[in-house]
Amino acid sequence: MKPESLTYFRQIPASASILVAVGDRVQADTVVAKIEALPGRMARVNAASTIGVEPRDLPKRMIKKAGDHVKAGETLAARSEFFDRRAVRCPVDGVISAVSRNLGNVYIREIVDLGESTGPVTVQAARELRIPPRELEFNRAPGVRVGTLVARGQVLAAIDRDLPRHKMVTSPIYGRIREIDVEKGTITIIPAFPSPDVKAYIRGRVTAVIPDTGIEISGGGTRLEGVWGLGGEAFGPLHVIRGDLASPVQADQGAILAVQGTASHDALLAARDSGVAGAILGYMPSETVLSLVGDHANLGITGDDDVPYPIIVMEGFHPVPMREQVFSALLKHEGETVSMRGVTHIRAGVIRPEVILHSIDDGGEVM
Amino acid sequence: MPPSYIITDVGSTTTKAILVGPEGRGARLLGRAEAPTTVEKPFEDVTVGVRSALRRLEEVVGRELVPEICRTPGEETRGQYWYLSTSSAGGGLQILVYGLTKSVTADSARRAALGGGAIILDVMATDDGRQGFVKMDAVRNCRPDMVLIAGGLDGGNIQYVLEVCDVLNAAKPRPRFGSDFRIPVIYAGNKDASETVRDTLSDLYDLTVVDNLRPTLEREVLGPARNAIHELFMSHVMQQAPGYGQLSTWVDEDILPTPAAVGRIMELVAQRQGTNILGVDIGGATTDVFSVIDGTFFRSVSANLGMSYSSGNVLVEAGLDNIVRWLPFNISPYRVADRILTKLIHPTTLPGSEQDLQIEQALATEAVRLAFSQHRTVAVLLPRKASFISTRFFAEGRTGTHEQVAEAIDVSKIGLFVGSGGALSHAPRRNQAALMLLNALQPEGKTFFSVDSVFMMPHLGVLSGLDPDAALNVLEKDCLVPLGPVIAPAVVGTLGQPAVSVSLTVDGERITALVNAGDIRVIPLAQGHKAKVEVEPLGQTGFRGMRRFEFDTVGGTVGVIVDARGRPIPLPADPEERARANARWATQIGAYDLHGEPAKAGDLE
């Protein structure tokens, strides 16, 4: 298990500030970009009929074109003939996605602020609509169900939709619906991007910056591949435990636990309460897996999971402790910052979870 | 002299080559070999894997084959062999499907794409419950090889189809292969919208307009869309895939998507035998189900059901209890889950013990059951006659439709079941394959079970387009392994009481067997031996109205299988009792020598 050259490309969504330049040295947890906005809902404006032209003539009347950023209230298209002056205004801040020459529509992709939310948000839907909690089931908007993505401002539930007195509740964030609780009358949403910070992930140097696309970082380290994992990325000082994790752990805030054997469901939750940021386990029995992710999770494609923190399994699901060679490598890096990623794709183009033990050299070169 | 054929199937992981040529009275399989597919790095050229498979085939058959087909451009063929190929490499043909409403044109378009041999990336419809931005992101991220747009019955509103086109323009999906490649789009919708659709999409896509695949509510015309899929697969998609440009100069007929080739041979078998057939191919990642019912071909792909990469999905979709219920021993369900998840993370491993094998076979049973259940939702009959209101006023789109379709599949009317894929084809005993098919598909009445010996059906499918007699001869003599006829009453009386009397007359000699309710019995009949079978239901036993009946049959590797357990198979609720029942059935059919007793739990921990 020797250090090797590592290169990672850190992708950024549509709108982000890049905070580094080519040649900069970065640590694993250095913030290299900040996400500012995300693509949101699609707005459609029938511009041709608004300004009174044939759909086919709309492209000639457009003041903005496909790909342009537009602000709410800006003129999209206009017609001026004698005393007949008409214009169509943009209803939202966004980017023009397409102009239809057969229907006369302009399609605008809304751009929404990322917002401040980093954790799940619970909407008191029944209370806001003043309906009994159980009636939420019948009043949720079409397509609003567990697992679906919702945009900020999207209607989650409504009553009396066709009447003047109609009421509705909307999503405060761009995220995925985690739970619709008809006992409490609530809808819980997990942010699609829990943090605006895009981190370097490995220690090294910035070797390329591609605006609106991403940042390439090259460095050195030892990559330990697990067999299966849950959750996204985590960084933190390594805290190694011999045997199993049975009782609450005394670890630094933000630590990554490396457990030679396994950890029970309760021990994993208790570790979260102690501020643990990630766990590397020798093995994890399926009983613990299913109690963590539920009976309906796609176990072959993970990364987006609703788990307390990222978890990596090094050996499997049978009671086999971590291989000595791997455990020794982790022991050698005890107390140092490591990076880990639980994402697993078991299919063609397989992705396995990984732990990166960074080389001591500050420049991230292979020693 | 009858021609010889070299045929390859370029799969995701292996390229399988066969040589078919004259032997005795007809065409036979002369050899088979395989090599890893080389569609990915470091080779990124499928012809490397094809050459390698052919070199191995040369060793098997002792003939020089590579120079015969691996020609450089402009080089003439030597004419001794025909070369044909199918392909599913790189994930097969991946199509994005659009329709207007889920239950009408989107459903028909889905069937057209599946029949064309495609893997469906997504089916978009105006009433699929998703927000526009969610669909747009899905389109943007899916990287299709091709897009199929259906929508609108002829004469209906065209606005919705045009909106679909606008959204496709806005999403601008990127192709899977080749950055400058214009994605082929097939428009098979409302004919009144054809020209406007052409105008809307031609700037960004390579558009092909074909006949509306659902011109009216009660009529479905899938052929033109399916043909367009095949043509575009060859002329556009395959030209972009690594090495296919070269491969397409070697073949003497168009390369077919693998599932389309399997469908072709299934149709031919059904046609020649004059029976309904149902085939199941259980792979590592996906399970395909094909059926030909009253001459109509149906195909479904359960993209998330399989024995290795998708074993975790089978666990989730079937539920742990449903897998455990087929085991001939009692075990903690979580120990079973440990084993299934281990298979997920190490997809290429083989079972290490008999119990591991039994767990895999229980998993396969559930995968096939679920895939068959999904297939039944695809294999449907359109409404026979539209109501006056729907013909007069209905235009697909704004109002949607709730016209009911009927299931095409009736398990009592399928004359032949064919099992394929590792779990069924390579079961250590053919009797195990028979038990898996019985439990998963639960056929009724009289039928016949076969398994594919070495998964040659794609090769024979592409061959059937050129030489159907050769394809059928090889299929019958070298490909399909007959397991035997199956007799299964739907209803049986009291457990342990005689349920059915089955008499076999072989070469003038008559054997009669009484089978009790709740039992399986195998009556020996050697492979290829002909027999006349007389079946007499006893007591309350029922074959859906059929009383005494008789038929002619031939034996298979298992024998004549009489399943008198009734339908659905009554599994005891108590785990110990259920394990004992499974052990008894496994012993009765000859799948395992358990003497009717469950394995000891101690063996398993």
Side-chain angles (χ1 to χ4, degrees):
Chain A
M1 287 182 191
K2 290 182 179 171
E4 57 183 311
S5 293
L6 301 169
T7 297
Y8 283 82
F9 191 76
R10 310 298 286 162
Q11 205 155 1
I12 53 176
S15 189
S17 300
I18 293 175
L19 307 175
V20 289
V22 172
D24 284 358
R25 284 187 173 190
V26 290
Q27 299 298 314
D29 56 358
T30 302
V31 178
V32 294
K34 246 185 192 331
I35 302 169
E36 290 161 348
L38 296 167
R41 286 176 298 174
M42 176 93 102
R44 181 186 61 197
V45 183
N46 195 315
S49 70
T50 308
I51 60 171
V53 296
E54 286 297 315
R56 184 151 296 279
D57 295 329
L58 179 64
K60 285 185 280 185
R61 307 284 181 171
M62 289 294 295
I63 291 166
K64 302 283 182 183
K65 59 183 188 305
D68 283 355
H69 282 257
V70 284
K71 292 272 180 202
E74 269 192 88
T75 304
L76 293 173
R79 189 185 75 150
S80 176
E81 285 171 9
F82 302 106
F83 297 104
D84 185 9
R85 292 182 180 180
R86 297 190 212 176
V88 58
R89 312 261 173 217
C90 187
V92 293
D93 292 355
V95 176
I96 297 180
S97 293
V99 177
S100 162
R101 61 179 176 240
N102 284 306
L103 290 176
N105 291 336
V106 178
Y107 299 88
I108 306 125
R109 188 74 196 262
E110 210 177 338
I111 296 289
V112 292
D113 292 342
L114 184 64
E116 298 299 315
S117 176
T118 55
V121 173
T122 299
V123 178
Q124 300 289 340
R127 195 193 299 164
E128 286 183 37
L129 295 175
R130 296 189 186 166
I131 56 173
R134 284 186 179 279
E135 285 187 20
L136 180 58
E137 179 61 26
F138 311 108
N139 290 289
R140 64 193 162 88
V144 170
R145 46 181 188 268
V146 172
T148 56
L149 205 57
V150 288
R152 199 158 65 129
Q154 184 179 329
V155 176
L156 298 174
I159 53 166
D160 300 330
R161 283 191 184 92
D162 303 324
L163 301 175
R165 63 169 188 272
H166 79 277
K167 281 188 204 158
M168 57 190 180
V169 284
T170 57
S171 172
I173 60 166
Y174 179 81
R176 200 170 288 283
I177 296 178
R178 175 201 272 184
E179 185 182 34
I180 299 173
D181 189 332
V182 292
E183 298 295 326
K184 295 179 186 157
T186 56
I187 299 174
T188 305
I189 304 156
I190 321 169
F193 289 82
S195 164
D197 297 340
V198 178
K199 293 183 178 170
Y201 186 61
I202 58 165
R203 179 188 291 172
R205 282 178 195 276
V206 176
T207 45
V209 171
I210 304 169
D212 296 333
T213 307
I215 299 143
E216 185 186 82
I217 296 157
S218 301
T222 304
R223 183 175 177 275
L224 304 176
E225 191 173 275
V227 291
W228 188 79
L230 287 166
E233 294 173 356
F235 317 88
L238 192 62
H239 182 96
V240 183
I241 294 167
R242 285 187 185 278
D244 294 342
L245 173 67
S247 53
V249 65
Q250 298 295 317
D252 293 341
Q253 184 73 21
I256 304 283
L257 296 184
V259 182
Q260 190 180 22
T262 191
S264 67
H265 178 235
D266 289 348
L268 289 169
L269 293 187
R272 176 195 57 191
D273 298 339
S274 310
V276 162
I280 305 157
L281 306 180
Y283 69 95
M284 181 150 74
S286 60
E287 190 170 0
T288 313
V289 173
L290 296 174
S291 68
L292 266 179
V293 298
D295 289 344
H296 300 289
N298 179 352
L299 300 170
I301 308 283
T302 70
D304 239 354
D305 322 281
D306 185 13
V307 284
Y309 42 73
I311 297 169
I312 294 177
V313 178
M314 300 306 287
E315 304 300 334
F317 306 98
H318 293 300
V320 176
M322 205 179 289
R323 271 166 294 156
E324 196 50 47
Q325 198 186 9
V326 174
F327 190 63
S328 306
L330 291 167
L331 267 177
K332 275 187 202 157
H333 286 77
E334 171 130 41
E336 292 172 17
T337 295
V338 298
S339 305
M340 64 175 283
R341 181 161 62 189
V343 178
T344 308
H345 289 191
I346 313 258
R347 60 179 177 186
V350 65
I351 299 172
R352 297 279 183 182
E354 62 179 16
V355 181
I356 308 288
L357 306 173
H358 302 292
S359 300
I360 301 300
D361 171 28
D362 200 32
E365 311 296 341
V366 177
M367 292 181 74
Chain B
M1 185 172 169
S4 294
Y5 303 96
I6 300 163
I7 313 168
T8 51
D9 171 46
V10 185
S12 293
T13 49
T14 40
T15 296
K16 290 139 285 204
I18 65 168
L19 177 66
V20 169
E23 193 179 272
R25 284 196 206 164
R28 294 295 299 266
L29 174 73
L30 302 180
R32 183 185 183 278
E34 59 185 50
T37 293
T38 49
V39 74
E40 289 183 7
K41 287 177 181 172
F43 301 103
E44 290 188 316
D45 180 352
V46 287
T47 60
V48 175
V50 169
R51 278 176 192 273
S52 175
L54 292 175
R55 294 257 181 241
R56 291 180 189 182
L57 185 60
E58 284 179 339
E59 287 169 23
V60 173
V61 298
R63 298 186 199 179
E64 200 176 43
L65 303 174
V66 173
E68 296 289 336
I69 59 166
C70 304
R71 301 184 290 268
T72 50
E75 195 181 339
E76 286 298 310
T77 171
R78 291 182 176 82
Q80 285 190 39
Y81 297 94
W82 287 77
Y83 176 49
L84 309 169
S85 190
T86 62
S87 171
S88 59
L93 166 63
Q94 303 191 357
I95 292 190
L96 172 66
V97 172
Y98 274 101
L100 285 198
T101 53
K102 265 195 310 188
S103 59
V104 186
T105 48
D107 210 28
S108 292
R110 179 169 70 118
R111 282 193 284 275
L114 286 167
I119 301 269
I120 293 183
L121 293 169
D122 206 334
V123 180
M124 307 265 173
T126 50
D127 61 344
D128 64 13
R130 287 180 286 180
Q131 291 281 317
F133 78 95
V134 174
K135 286 196 269 199
M136 192 154 136
D137 284 347
V139 172
R140 220 170 235 175
N141 295 328
C142 73
R143 307 197 74 163
D145 291 323
M146 204 181 285
V147 179
L148 171 63
I149 302 176
L153 309 176
D154 282 345
N157 190 326
I158 68 168
Q159 184 177 344
Y160 296 98
V161 178
L162 295 180
E163 272 192 28
V164 162
C165 297
D166 281 346
V167 173
L168 190 63
N169 275 339
K172 294 185 188 70
R174 286 180 301 153
R176 199 154 56 107
F177 298 117
S179 53
D180 301 329
F181 173 58
R182 279 153 62 101
I183 296 175
V185 174
I186 298 167
Y187 175 66
N190 184 347
K191 64 183 179 190
D192 298 343
S194 301
E195 282 315 305
T196 327
V197 166
R198 192 186 294 281
D199 183 57
T200 309
L201 292 178
S202 294
D203 291 350
L204 294 176
Y205 304 97
D206 208 326
L207 186 74
T208 301
V209 176
V210 297
D211 292 350
N212 191 350
L213 54 77
R214 192 75 183 264
T216 63
L217 202 55
E218 67 277 14
R219 198 161 151 249
E220 199 170 60
V221 185
L222 305 183
R226 265 164 64 175
N227 292 341
I229 290 169
H230 290 169
E231 277 171 29
L232 291 168
F233 175 69
M234 184 66 186
S235 64
H236 286 62
V237 181
M238 281 292 96
Q239 299 303 322
Q240 302 298 321
Y244 278 95
Q246 172 83 66
L247 187 67
S248 62
T249 65
W250 294 351
V251 290
D252 294 301
E253 292 281 308
D254 281 355
I255 299 170
L256 271 187
T258 302
V262 176
R264 195 185 264 188
I265 190 76
M266 299 277 277
E267 280 185 289
L268 187 62
V269 173
Q271 190 190 336
R272 292 283 174 101
Q273 296 199 359
T275 186
N276 292 333
I277 64 178
L278 187 127
V280 182
D281 173 24
I282 177 165
T286 64
T287 297
D288 279 27
V289 181
F290 307 84
S291 62
V292 184
I293 308 293
D294 299 331
T296 304
F297 171 66
F298 300 99
R299 171 180 171 242
S300 61
V301 180
S302 298
N304 291 321
L305 299 175
M307 290 303 295
S308 55
Y309 293 105
S310 299
S311 59
N313 284 322
V314 180
L315 173 68
V316 167
E317 286 198 31
L320 198 43
D321 290 344
N322 277 339
I323 295 167
V324 170
R325 68 180 168 155
W326 298 116
L327 292 174
F329 50 86
N330 191 12
I331 183 174
S332 151
Y334 287 118
R335 298 291 77 76
V336 174
D338 287 347
R339 282 170 163 79
I340 294 169
L341 293 183
T342 301
K343 180 80 179 173
L344 170 73
I345 58 173
H346 302 296
T348 53
T349 51
L350 294 171
S353 66
E354 187 166 279
Q355 283 78 21
D356 278 348
L357 179 66
Q358 286 161 345
I359 290 172
E360 278 207 6
Q361 292 182 345
L363 188 73
T365 301
E366 278 302 299
V368 171
R369 180 185 69 82
L370 290 169
F372 180 46
S373 159
Q374 290 176 12
H375 184 74
R376 295 176 90 134
T377 67
V378 170
V380 293
L381 304 170
L382 301 182
R384 284 200 182 275
K385 194 166 186 294
S387 64
F388 171 75
I389 291 174
S390 59
T391 6
R392 180 70 184 82
F393 299 108
F394 174 75
E396 195 204 9
R398 191 178 296 277
T399 54
T401 181
H402 300 286
E403 292 288 330
Q404 291 299 307
V405 291
E407 269 193 29
I409 292 183
D410 175 347
V411 281
S412 68
K413 291 183 179 155
I414 292 172
L416 173 65
F417 287 87
V418 180
S420 184
L424 293 165
S425 295
H426 301 309
R429 290 187 193 180
R430 299 289 186 197
N431 309 51
Q432 293 162 2
L435 184 60
M436 283 184 267
L437 291 173
L438 269 186
N439 289 343
L441 303 169
Q442 306 205 9
E444 293 175 23
K446 72 169 175 65
T447 187
F448 201 93
F449 278 178
S450 287
V451 289
D452 180 1
S453 60
V454 283
F455 198 53
M456 242 197 287
M457 291 180 80
H459 305 78
L460 301 181
V462 67
L463 176 60
S464 69
L466 197 63
D467 190 342
D469 291 332
L472 280 176
N473 204 47
V474 176
L475 183 82
E476 190 190 319
K477 301 213 164 78
D478 302 306
C479 175
L480 288 186
V481 178
L483 300 180
V486 177
I487 297 156
V491 180
V492 292
T494 312
L495 290 184
Q497 296 298 311
V500 60
S501 161
V502 179
S503 301
L504 258 63
T505 307
V506 187
D507 298 331
E509 195 177 328
R510 186 180 160 100
I511 318 159
T512 299
L514 280 182
V515 186
N516 290 340
D519 281 351
I520 300 176
R521 176 133 181 213
V522 173
I523 306 167
L525 179 63
Q527 187 172 345
H529 284 214
K530 291 181 179 168
K532 183 176 182 175
V533 183
E534 294 161 70
V535 180
E536 187 179 355
L538 305 171
Q540 295 164 298
T541 299
F543 283 90
R544 293 228 202 153
M546 274 197 295
R547 291 305 298 170
R548 185 188 164 87
F549 61 94
E550 54 185 56
F551 60 97
D552 293 326
T553 192
V554 287
T557 54
V558 177
V560 178
I561 304 162
V562 186
D563 180 0
R565 294 177 294 176
R567 297 291 181 261
I569 296 169
L571 286 160
D574 175 68
E576 283 289 346
E577 211 182 308
R578 190 175 58 228
R580 234 188 317 274
N582 279 318
R584 191 176 81 244
W585 294 329
T587 307
Q588 286 172 339
I589 202 170
Y592 293 95
D593 299 322
L594 299 171
H595 310 292
E597 286 300 317
K600 289 181 185 137
D603 299 346
L604 308 161
E605 298 300 330

